[in-house]
Amino acid sequence: MAAQEPPRPPPAGAEPAEPEPGGRYEAVAPHWFYRRVPEARERWLPFSAQDSQRLEEAHGAGKDQDGVVVPTSGGRYDVHLRARQRVAVYWEEEAAEVRRCTWFYKGDKDNKFIPYSESFSEELEEAYMIAVTLGEWKKKLESPNREVIILHNPKLMVHYHPVASSDDWVSTPTEQGRPRTVKRGVDNIAVEIPSGEPLQIDHLVFVVHGIGPACDIRFRSIVQCVNDFRNVSLSMLQAHFRKAQEQQQVGRVEFLPVNWHSSLHSTGVDVDLERITLPSINRLRHFINDTILDVFFYNSSTYCQTIVDTVASEMNRLHRLFLQRNPHFRGGVSIAGHSLGSLILFDLLTNQKADPEEDERCAQGSRTTSGTGGIEEVKEILKKLELSEYCDVFEKEKMDRQALFLCTEKNLKEMGIPLGPRMKILHYISSETEMKDRSSAAPGHNERGAEPGDSSEGGRSCQYRDVGLGQVSANYPQLNYKPTIFFAFGSPIGMFLTVRGVKRIDPNYSLPTCKGFFNIFHPFDPVAYRIEPMIVPELEFEPMLLPHHKGRKRMHLELKEGLTRMSVDLKNNLLGSLRVAWQSFTRAPVPALEAGSSEAEAEAEAGTEKQPDTKPEEPPAAVKEETPPINVGRLNGGNRIDYVLQEKPIESFNEYLFALQGHLCYWESEDTVLLVLKEIYQTQGITLDQPLPGSQ
C-alpha cells in the first residue's frame, strides 16, 4: 500500500528542517490574481497591492456578495466579486477569471507559479495547519485533477503530475514524474507586485490609433500599447516630478485608447473586398486589406464619414463615462494620435466651432484694440523704425495700427512729422501692404485679409478654415470638450495637407478649440512629415531635438557632433596651410620700384581668397548648440511644433533596417512620454524637478 512505501527522498539542495511537534501556526495572507491568456498561454498576474487590499476588504465584508463591484487598475477594470470576473470598463475585452490565491505550484512551460483553485487551497491550508500544529508531516493530498501533493515540511512541498502506466490507459495518482515546487503565500514566490496607481487624476488623454488593428512591431492592440504608454508615464512621474508628488500637487495622467478600426471593418466592407481579392499571396493581400487600405477608406467620402463619426462619438462616450466614474475630476482633456489617427484628429479639430462667447470675446478684443492695444502696436512700430520720439504725437492723435495704415504723406505732414521720418513710415506701410497682397494671393491664406502681423483680426484663428482645403466632404461631428493640447506621433499631416493643395499654413492660424499642437517623430520614421516648413517656408531650420529623459544627449550623437566639429576645424587648418604654402611657391620676386603697387595687389588677392574661408569656420546648423528663436506662428501658441527623437546607437547603423521600428517606437519611448507630461503639467504651473538641457 502507498502508506507502507518508503517516503521518496526530497530533491537535492532542499533544506528539510522539520519543526518540532506543537509548532505555532500563522494564517496565510491571501493575494488576488487575474488570469490572462496571451497567445494561448495561460498566465496569472497579481493585482496591485492596493487593489488586492480593496478586494480582500470587500470579500471579508459579508457573505452576500451579489452585486458587489470593486474598481481596480485605476478604475479601468471592475471586479465582480461573486462571479470572480474582471471586466473592462472603457473598451470591449473578454472577461478574465479572478482568484483569491494562497497556494501556488510552478508551471511546466515557463516556470511561472500558478495558483491553485480557492477550494483546493483551503484543503491545503487545513492540512498545513494540522501538520504544523501536531508536527505530523509527509502528508499526501490528491487534487481534483488526480495530482498528488506531498507536504514534507514547511520548506519542502512538492506536486506530482499523474502518469499513466504502460499496461493501463487510465491515469492513476502516483508520485512518478518530475516534481514541481509548491509554495504557500505570495511572499514565497518570485512575482513582482505593483504598488498601484495614484488615485488623483490630473489630466485625461484620448489616444487614437493609425492604420490596421495592430499598433506596434509585436502586433499588439491599441489597448496594450496604451497600457505601456501609461506605465512609462507613471515611471517618468516618479523620476521627474518627485517634488510635486511629495507636495501632493501631482497625481497621474490617465490615457484611454480610442478604437475605430473594428467599427470600420464591421460595415461589411471586408466581405466585399474578399470577393474581389486574388487568391495568390493570400497572407500579404489580407494584410493589405486589413491595414494599408485604411488610408484609402479615409479618403473615401463614404467611409471617411464612418471613421470621423466613430472617433468623435467614441471620444465623447469615453469622456461622459469617465466623468460619471470620476465626478470630482476637474482637470483638462488632451488628445493624441498615431500615424493616420493624428490626421483624423487634425481634420476633426480644424472643423470644430468655437463657442459664441469666444466669438464675442474676439469681436470685443478687436473693438478695444484701437483704444488700447492698437496704440501700443504703433509705439512698437515706431520703436522698430527708430522714431520713438514721435510716440507722443501719435498717441495725442489717437492713432492705432489700422489708422496708421490709412495715413498718407499729407496726413503725416499735418501732424508735424518731418520729411525723413515721413519717408520711413510710408515705406514701412507700403512694404507691409505688398507682403499682405502676396500672401493673400497664395493658396491657404486667410479669407478675411488681415494685416500681416495683425494681432487684432488675424490673431484669432477661430474664423480661419484654410487648412481644410481639399478635405474629404464629410459632416465633421463636434466634441463635447475643448482639448488642451493635440499630440501627433509619427504623423503624415504635412504630407496630406500638401497633397490636398495647401502650400502654406497662415502664421496666424491656430486650431479653433485647441491652442497646443506638438508634432513628434522619430528621425527614421518613413510616415512622419514636418509642419513648421509649411508655416515659415522661407527659412531652413532643424526641428527641436527632444532631450533624453536622463538629461543628456545620447553618447553617439555627442560623439558624432564632436567629430563633425573636429573635421571642420581640421579642414580649415589644412586648407589654410596649403594656401600659404602655395602662395609662397608661386610668388615671384618684385622690383623695389613696384613694391607699393605689388603689395596692394597682393593684399587684394589675399582679401579675395580669404573671403570663402570665413564661412566654413562656422559650424553647421546641426552642430550649433543654441539656435535663435524662430517664429513658427500661432498653431502651438507661438512655440515650436516639430520635435524629433534621438535615435538609439544601434539604429544609427542602418536607417532602412529600423524604419518600421521608428514608426512604431512611440508607445515605449520615455522621451516622448516625458514631453507629453511636461507640456500637460506646464499648463497647470507645474514644472520638472530639474529642467532638461535643450528643452524649450
Side-chain angles (χ1 to χ4, degrees), residues 25 41 155 166 177 419 428 488 558 592 632 651:
Y25 166 77
R41 179 181 297 177
K155 294 185 178 180
S166 57
L419 178 61
Y428 175 81
E558 294 178 348
V632 292
E651 294 174 344

Side-chain angles (χ1 to χ4, degrees), residues 541-559:
F541 54 96
E542 298 293 326
M544 288 288 291
L545 185 67
L546 264 178
H548 193 269
H549 67 281
K550 292 186 178 178
R552 56 171 175 77
K553 280 188 178 180
R554 293 187 184 271
M555 189 172 295
H556 72 286
L557 294 179
E558 294 178 348
L559 180 61

Side-chain angles (χ1 to χ4, degrees), residues 219 282-293:
F219 296 97
N282 183 49
R283 291 187 179 181
L284 178 58
R285 295 185 189 277
H286 178 73
F287 173 78
I288 292 175
N289 289 349
D290 210 27
T291 56
I292 308 297
L293 288 190

Side-chain angles (χ1 to χ4, degrees), residues 548-619:
H548 193 269
H549 67 281
K550 292 186 178 178
R552 56 171 175 77
K553 280 188 178 180
R554 293 187 184 271
M555 189 172 295
H556 72 286
L557 294 179
E558 294 178 348
L559 180 61
K560 182 179 179 181
E561 291 184 0
L563 291 175
T564 304
R565 290 195 194 97
M566 189 184 303
S567 63
V568 170
D569 295 340
L570 184 61
K571 178 182 177 182
N572 291 337
N573 295 335
L574 182 60
L575 290 177
S577 302
L578 290 175
R579 187 173 292 108
V580 172
W582 177 256
Q583 290 174 357
S584 64
F585 282 123
T586 58
R587 185 178 295 120
V590 292
L593 292 176
E594 300 178 357
S597 61
S598 300
E599 288 178 4
E601 292 176 2
E603 288 178 2
E605 286 184 4
T608 56
E609 290 178 354
K610 285 181 181 178
Q611 284 180 358
D613 297 345
T614 57
K615 194 171 182 180
E617 289 178 359
E618 298 181 2

Side-chain angles (χ1 to χ4, degrees), residues 125-198:
E125 185 65 19
E126 184 178 356
Y128 178 86
M129 179 184 65
I130 295 173
V132 169
T133 306
L134 303 178
E136 298 178 356
W137 293 94
K138 306 294 188 297
K139 291 277 186 179
K140 278 188 181 180
L141 289 91
E142 183 178 338
S143 72
N145 297 330
R146 299 178 60 82
E147 298 169 342
V148 175
I149 295 90
I150 301 179
L151 309 181
H152 290 285
N153 59 65
K155 294 185 178 180
L156 181 62
M157 296 171 282
V158 291
H159 175 125
Y160 294 96
H161 268 300
V163 179
S165 58
S166 57
D167 56 348
D168 189 2
W169 287 97
V170 181
S171 299
T172 55
T174 175
E175 299 175 24
Q176 295 179 1
R178 184 172 64 88
R180 301 182 185 180
T181 306
V182 176
K183 295 291 183 181
R184 175 180 178 265
V186 72
D187 296 333
N188 295 318
I189 65 175
V191 61
E192 183 179 355
I193 299 176
S195 57
E197 302 177 13

